[in-house]
Amino acid sequence: MSRPLVRPLPADPAAFNATRFGNPDLTLRELFAAQPAHTLDPVSQLLDFPLVGLRIVPVSSVDPDTPLYLPPGVTLGSAASTSPDAPTQDSPEPAMVDGDGAEEPAIGHEHPETLSEREAVLIAHRFEINQVAAYLESGLSVLVQCEKLLVEHLARVMAVRSGKKYRKVEIAAAEPSGPPDPMRGGNRRSLLIEALQQAVTEAIDGQIVVVPHLDLLAGGSDATLTSEARDLTDLLYERSGCIILGFTDPSLTVPDVLAKRFAVRVSMDILPRAITTPASGKTGVKIGTTLVTREEVALFAGFDADRLYQNVAGMNAVRLRNGIRFAYHKHRETPDTTFETLLDELRLFKASTSADAFAVPDTTFDDIGGYAEVKAELQAAIEIVNGSDRIPEDERAHLVPRGFIFYGPPGTGKTLFAKAVAAAMGGNILVVSGPEITDKYVGESERKVRDIFAQARNNAPAVVVFDEFDAIAAQRTGRDDGGSRAGNAIVAQLLTELDGFRPATPVLIIGTTNRIDLIDKALLRPSRFREIGIGLPRLEARRQIAASHAKRSTYDDLSPALLDRLAEATDGMNGDEIGNIFRQARRDELLGSGERPDAYTFGTLVGKILATRQELDIQTARRTVRPADDERLPRRNPGRPDDPAAPRGTTGGPGRR
Ligand code: ATP
């Protein structure tokens, strides 16, 4: 296989080359730490490669429009102004009209020969850009909701196409890269307020003031404006003749009072399926045609524009182009590269460029033993999400499930099922701990939930798992203390997000809990979350779980009779405990006796687990005789016959035999 290509633009080319040729054993990360450089392609996945494993082709200059990447951890001092994340131009002074670069790129029925990121954005959002320009032209202020990466490409073009004079509010300090975080916005917020104040005061009636990062005006939490921002909001209302074009990130909110200053709000959080132009006819030109070059299509044999769209609708045009270019560079000399390779690479690219830990799932339904009913229900849901031919397109949105709540005792494979769902959707998975949302992001939980959903849509198709869902989705209360208010706000946010489901960017939410009785009833409406009980495995399921773990632990030659015996002996155990028998046997073999385990060894291990359980039961019984415990702490003791959380109904919660 060929070596991956890296095209750096070093701050000091001579020193860069001296370091690189003098120390061929360095990794790329070490080279960049010693000799900072931008790159023409994303390199975050190559940083730990040794230099000898890479093809490094330094460039000395680039066209000003060429987007550059700053590898993670690299700082460049003054050269940082060339990064696409840093503002590179001062606001036009005095206010001006110009046409440079705002013209529409050609959109044909063929794959283009070449395509810059800016062209991709202008093509993908042709409709919204012209729509916003028309609103501005008629004197209406517009609030655009789109990812920060797009703002620099869109702001000027929208203003220019309106034909009006405009001025852009710039903040002198460089933008930090990475995900938006209003908590670190303090200083930049003051700068923005100052600059905006000046621009609005100086603007003449009918002139456009472009505010690229309006959401910075909001304080740390959603509903609040700092006192300076409040003064500014008053000024914006007073200067009603001034047209404002503001931008805000989908994961952040602009307080209502500020948002209402805008006559129109336009959301650009999803790629259109096709672009229509006067020449394209009604069906338009597919995104997979117009945003993928001829050379790229030729490399990925079997390229399918419709399937591409199903996997990238939530990516913005810049990320999509980065992902495709990355896949192209990585595989351009690999023989027999197919379209599936491109989809796999895009999936990995999405996961590795997300702020939260989205991952490519590594479990399939075949890895899960038993639970045939649960599997069947989930597979039917996935068929709808994936856009099965059996379901008419216009009915899909109506039939698609928003999410599931998996409830039942610990260790029964609830998280495992969520991973298998993500894999079957061809998507990524993010597992979030419920208590972490409420503890780690104190006062910020609602924003965090919104951010998670925004990222999930970018990763779509995707599954988000909220482990210990009861921690964030507990029954809302009528009380008005701080804790209840925060809890209620999270549930309200979850409801808003679930109700805003878009079939083009399928995101399934899965909550796992041992306490279904605690979950807010509004979430349990069938149109939102469907409850699926996952109880302790029955005899046949235990046999299958044992067989699956035996295989994973290299014991796939166990006799059917021994598997039968193990299934019988593990009555009352969950999947995790059954898996542990095999993990323990393998550990003992590798680190201890060196002998393959036999029936006697497995019997001993089962006995040990049962003894440990008995001991735990005794301890629990001792603890629960103290009445105060019961009152203060809701006891989590699932699996008991009288447990309110024990799986019920016919949703597939198999009980013990
Ligand atoms: P908790 O409620 O404590 O979060 P859980 O129900 O989410 O637990 P998982 O984390 O999904 O349980 O499962 C733990 C481990 O148990 C899995 O990694 C797997 O090894 C094993 N396991 C559980 N159920 C099964 C099953 N049906 N088939 C195969 N392995 C299983």
Side-chain angles (χ1 to χ4, degrees):
M1 212 177 99
S2 72
R3 292 172 299 158
L5 177 71
V6 178
R7 294 180 295 168
L9 178 69
D12 182 345
F16 183 90
N17 278 335
T19 309
R20 141 169 115 93
F21 291 122
N23 308 277
D25 293 338
L26 290 183
T27 60
L28 191 60
R29 189 190 300 280
E30 289 162 337
L31 174 64
F32 283 139
Q35 296 297 335
H38 280 100
T39 59
L40 262 62
D41 316 277
V43 293
S44 47
Q45 297 193 350
L46 303 176
L47 286 174
D48 293 317
F49 274 48
L51 299 184
V52 285
L54 299 166
R55 201 149 52 90
I56 299 181
V57 184
V59 286
S60 52
S61 66
V62 289
D63 188 272
D65 253 358
T66 307
L68 297 174
Y69 297 84
L70 195 56
V74 174
T75 42
L76 271 175
S78 59
S81 62
T82 50
S83 153
D85 281 332
T88 54
Q89 54 180 38
D90 290 331
S91 51
E93 287 292 353
M96 56 188 280
V97 179
D98 63 354
D100 240 8
E103 306 80 26
E104 221 167 84
I107 304 174
H109 282 275
E110 303 289 319
H111 293 276
E113 205 69 59
T114 60
L115 189 69
S116 71
E117 274 172 21
R118 172 174 290 259
E119 284 169 336
V121 175
L122 300 194
I123 290 172
H125 297 294
R126 172 183 188 276
F127 175 76
E128 291 100 332
I129 293 172
N130 291 339
Q131 191 189 30
V132 170
Y135 287 132
L136 295 172
E137 190 186 352
S138 39
L140 300 174
S141 292
V142 186
L143 182 58
V144 179
Q145 194 184 52
C146 70
E147 283 181 80
K148 295 225 177 288
L149 262 173
L150 300 185
V151 176
E152 288 306 314
H153 295 295
L154 294 172
R156 209 176 115 271
V157 176
M158 286 173 167
V160 170
R161 285 200 198 162
S162 76
K164 288 194 179 299
K165 292 192 173 190
Y166 74 95
R167 57 191 301 151
K168 189 160 157 218
V169 177
E170 295 281 4
I171 319 171
E175 286 263 323
S177 54
D181 182 354
M183 295 307 282
R184 33 165 219 220
N187 195 28
R188 295 174 60 232
R189 188 179 309 134
S190 308
L191 290 170
L192 174 67
I193 290 173
E194 223 174 271
L196 183 51
Q197 202 136 23
Q198 191 185 355
V200 175
T201 312
E202 289 173 7
I204 50 166
D205 278 0
Q207 194 176 75
I208 300 170
V209 174
V210 181
V211 193
H213 304 294
L214 192 82
D215 38 41
L216 264 186
L217 291 184
S221 76
D222 292 338
T224 56
L225 278 175
T226 58
S227 60
E228 322 150 82
R230 253 197 306 275
D231 291 346
L232 174 71
T233 310
D234 290 345
L235 181 69
L236 289 177
Y237 277 95
E238 276 162 31
R239 301 278 295 108
S240 57
C242 148
I243 307 164
I244 305 175
L245 170 60
F247 290 85
T248 159
D249 190 272
S251 67
L252 301 173
T253 45
V254 168
D256 251 10
V257 57
L258 193 54
K260 282 190 182 137
R261 168 63 175 79
F262 294 84
V264 186
R265 296 179 215 178
V266 172
S267 173
M268 298 171 56
D269 56 353
I270 170 174
L271 286 173
R273 191 177 290 274
I275 316 295
T276 42
T277 67
S280 71
K282 223 168 150 199
T283 45
V285 184
K286 288 176 183 166
I287 274 286
T289 303
T290 184
L291 293 195
V292 187
T293 66
R294 200 172 299 172
E295 231 175 313
E296 288 158 352
V297 169
L299 177 67
F300 299 109
F303 182 88
D304 178 337
D306 291 319
R307 277 189 66 210
L308 179 77
Y309 182 72
Q310 280 171 11
N311 287 275
V312 303
M315 287 173 98
N316 66 51
V318 173
R319 271 182 86 222
L320 172 61
R321 284 302 309 151
N322 289 347
I324 295 178
R325 262 182 26 203
F326 179 71
Y328 176 81
H329 284 300
K330 194 166 158 193
H331 292 281
R332 67 182 170 174
E333 284 168 30
T334 317
D336 304 327
T337 302
T338 65
F339 179 58
E340 298 306 322
T341 318
L342 175 62
L343 292 186
D344 287 347
E345 286 295 348
L346 285 174
R347 202 167 164 192
L348 200 62
F349 181 83
K350 283 189 279 186
S352 57
T353 53
S354 296
D356 277 303
F358 275 87
V360 178
D362 54 4
T363 302
T364 67
F365 281 115
D366 290 341
D367 299 324
I368 303 177
Y371 300 91
E373 279 175 63
V374 176
K375 285 181 187 171
E377 174 155 8
L378 292 175
Q379 273 159 340
I382 292 161
E383 198 178 333
I384 305 174
V385 174
N386 282 355
S388 153
D389 292 345
R390 297 199 291 173
I391 296 172
E393 191 56 37
D394 53 344
E395 283 187 58
R396 190 163 149 237
H398 175 62
L399 293 175
V400 143
R402 305 298 193 255
F404 295 95
I405 296 191
F406 294 163
Y407 68 95
T412 46
K414 296 184 287 299
T415 314
L416 213 56
F417 266 111
K419 287 184 182 168
V421 169
M425 279 168 65
N428 288 332
I429 185 165
L430 173 69
V431 182
V432 197
S433 141
E436 196 172 283
I437 296 253
T438 45
D439 296 349
K440 187 165 152 200
Y441 304 95
V442 181
E444 276 289 296
S445 318
E446 203 183 328
R447 186 188 72 76
K448 185 65 199 167
V449 169
R450 197 171 39 245
D451 181 36
I452 287 172
F453 273 84
Q455 284 192 58
R457 282 189 286 270
N458 293 161
N459 267 279
V463 168
V464 177
V465 182
F466 290 101
D467 254 344
E468 297 188 56
F469 194 51
D470 41 291
I472 55 169
Q475 196 72 254
R476 282 170 290 181
T477 68
R479 290 201 307 273
D480 198 31
D481 56 279
S484 309
R485 265 203 308 275
N488 293 353
I490 301 178
V491 173
Q493 188 60 42
L494 275 170
L495 289 173
T496 310
E497 296 291 350
L498 287 173
D499 292 347
F501 181 90
R502 312 267 286 271
T505 49
V507 173
L508 266 189
I509 305 302
I510 295 180
T512 72
T513 181
N514 309 133
R515 294 292 307 268
I516 188 78
D517 54 310
L518 294 182
I519 307 290
D520 192 282
K521 295 291 171 284
L523 289 169
L524 294 179
R525 268 186 19 205
S527 57
R528 289 176 176 144
F529 280 108
R530 211 163 313 156
E531 299 169 41
I532 296 199
I534 301 183
L536 290 173
R538 290 191 196 119
L539 179 69
E540 183 49 31
R542 292 198 300 277
R543 194 184 187 284
Q544 287 178 23
I545 295 171
S548 140
H549 282 275
K551 194 167 166 205
R552 227 176 297 166
S553 309
T554 74
Y555 304 135
D556 33 6
D557 52 353
L558 286 198
S559 71
L562 180 51
L563 283 175
D564 287 343
R565 284 289 302 122
L566 278 168
E568 276 161 22
T570 50
D571 185 16
M573 288 190 193
N574 60 38
D576 199 18
E577 287 166 321
I578 299 172
N580 200 34
I581 296 169
F582 292 90
R583 284 192 294 271
Q584 190 61 50
R586 184 73 179 140
R587 258 196 306 267
D588 290 350
E589 179 192 341
L590 292 174
L591 303 176
S593 66
E595 281 170 25
R596 300 286 284 173
D598 56 13
Y600 178 79
T601 322
F602 283 117
T604 314
L605 288 169
V606 172
K608 270 189 192 161
I609 290 183
L610 290 175
T612 315
R613 271 176 147 238
Q614 251 168 14
E615 177 59 24
L616 276 176
D617 283 349
I618 292 167
Q619 283 176 13
T620 311
R622 275 196 200 124
R623 273 206 306 274
T624 51
V625 290
R626 289 180 303 170
D629 272 359
D630 270 346
E631 272 176 43
R632 277 202 312 258
L633 303 169
R635 219 171 347 107
R636 292 167 68 103
N637 192 10
R640 288 185 334 185
D642 59 342
D643 173 29
R648 54 169 197 256
T650 54
T651 42
R656 290 162 55 176
R657 76 179 173 148

